[in-house]
Amino acid sequence: MRLGFGGNKFKHGYSSWDEAQANCSGYDAQSITDTVVSASRAVRDGKAAYERDGVLFDKIEYSWPLLAALMGTPRKGNELRVLDWGGSLGSTYRQNKELFSLAGIALKWTVIEQGHFVEIGLREFQTKELTFVANTDDFSGQEFDVVLFASSICYLENPSVAIQQAVGLNPSRLIFDRTPESKSKKDLIGVQKVGSGIFKASFPVRSFASGSLQNMIGTKYSPVADWVSDLQPDPQTVAKGYVFQKN
C-alpha cells in the first residue's frame, strides 16, 4: 500500500473487480454524496471558487491541456456539446465555463452519473447549459461533439462498455483526463482509500496498461495528444490525459 496525493492510499494486485469491491465501502457511499453536494452548493452560491472531488478551493485550478483539448474539438458553429461521463454535479463545467464564455463558445454540457447524483443535479444544479442524465437511453437522439472522461473511466467496473457507448455516439473527440496508466504490461485493479480529510470512503480503481484505451476504442478514433496530469495521486501509476479524434 502506498500513500498518494491528499492522503489517498492505494493498494494494487486484486485478481478481479469483485474482489476489490469486497474490500471497499463503494463509490455510492453516502459520505461521498454528502461531501460533493455540500461543496458543489458552496461553488454554486459563490462561497468558494472551485471544488474537486468534494474539496473546496479559493482559486480555480485549471487543467490547461484539458481546456485546450476541449476548445480545439471540431464543432459546428460556436456551440460545444459535451457529454461529461461521471462528471459529478458539474465540477468541470463550472471550472471552465467562464473561459469558454470569454472565447465566445457556448456550452451545452450534459453529465451522465449515478441515479442519486442525477436526481440532485436536476433538482439543484440544472441550468440552460448544464443538465444531467443517468444513462445513454436518456439522450433521445442528442448529438455530442466530445465525450469527456475526467478521472472517471478508472472507476467503472466495465470501462469497455462505456467506451463503446461513447464511440456509438459518434463524437468528434474522446478525451480522458487524470486517468491512471499502469507501469505494468496489463491493466491493474486496486483499491483507493480516500484521505480522512476529504470523506470516509474506499472504492475499486483500475489503472490501464499503455495502449489499453486505444484497444477498447477501436480503429474509428486515433490518438492525437497525451499529457501527464498535474495531479499525481498514486505513486504507483502515472495519471495522464489523452485525446482521440475521429478518423
Side-chain angles (χ1 to χ4, degrees), residues 54-153:
V55 179
L56 291 171
F57 299 83
D58 57 11
K59 182 179 180 181
I60 294 177
E61 294 185 353
Y62 293 101
S63 171
W64 296 110
L66 172 60
L67 183 62
L70 287 168
M71 284 190 167
T73 298
R75 61 186 184 274
K76 296 178 181 179
N78 70 334
E79 183 179 69
L80 180 67
R81 301 166 298 178
V82 181
L83 176 59
D84 186 356
W85 206 298
S88 187
L89 293 171
S91 301
T92 304
Y93 163 76
R94 282 187 290 276
Q95 176 190 32
N96 295 292
K97 66 176 182 175
E98 293 301 327
L99 292 183
F100 276 98
S101 178
L102 289 171
I105 300 173
L107 291 174
K108 180 65 176 177
W109 199 287
T110 302
V111 171
I112 184 167
E113 257 294 355
Q114 301 174 82
H116 60 287
F117 270 102
V118 172
E119 291 177 7
I120 297 168
L122 292 173
R123 186 172 65 245
E124 296 193 38
F125 296 95
Q126 181 170 239
T127 68
K128 291 182 179 179
E129 291 186 343
L130 176 66
T131 192
F132 301 83
V133 297
N135 55 66
T136 55
D137 294 334
D138 295 338
F139 293 150
S140 301
Q142 187 174 346
E143 296 181 349
F144 298 95
D145 301 304
V146 57
V147 178
L148 169 64
F149 294 90
S151 189
S152 60
I153 194 69

Side-chain angles (χ1 to χ4, degrees), residues 37-66:
V37 170
S38 177
S40 298
R41 286 171 178 161
V43 176
R44 178 199 63 191
D45 298 340
K47 297 177 181 178
Y50 170 57
E51 67 85 19
R52 183 180 63 241
D53 301 328
V55 179
L56 291 171
F57 299 83
D58 57 11
K59 182 179 180 181
I60 294 177
E61 294 185 353
Y62 293 101
S63 171
W64 296 110
L66 172 60

Side-chain angles (χ1 to χ4, degrees), residues 182-235:
S182 169
K183 299 175 184 179
S184 172
K185 294 182 179 180
K186 62 179 182 179
D187 293 0
L188 297 178
I189 297 174
V191 167
Q192 177 180 345
K193 184 177 181 181
V194 180
S196 58
I198 303 175
F199 45 71
K200 187 177 181 180
S202 57
F203 31 79
V205 61
R206 186 187 310 269
S207 54
F208 299 90
S210 178
S212 182
L213 290 175
Q214 177 71 82
N215 290 337
M216 285 186 272
I217 291 169
T219 59
K220 188 177 179 180
Y221 292 79
S222 297
V224 295
D226 65 80
W227 61 89
V228 175
S229 302
D230 289 338
L231 295 174
Q232 294 292 327
D234 180 5

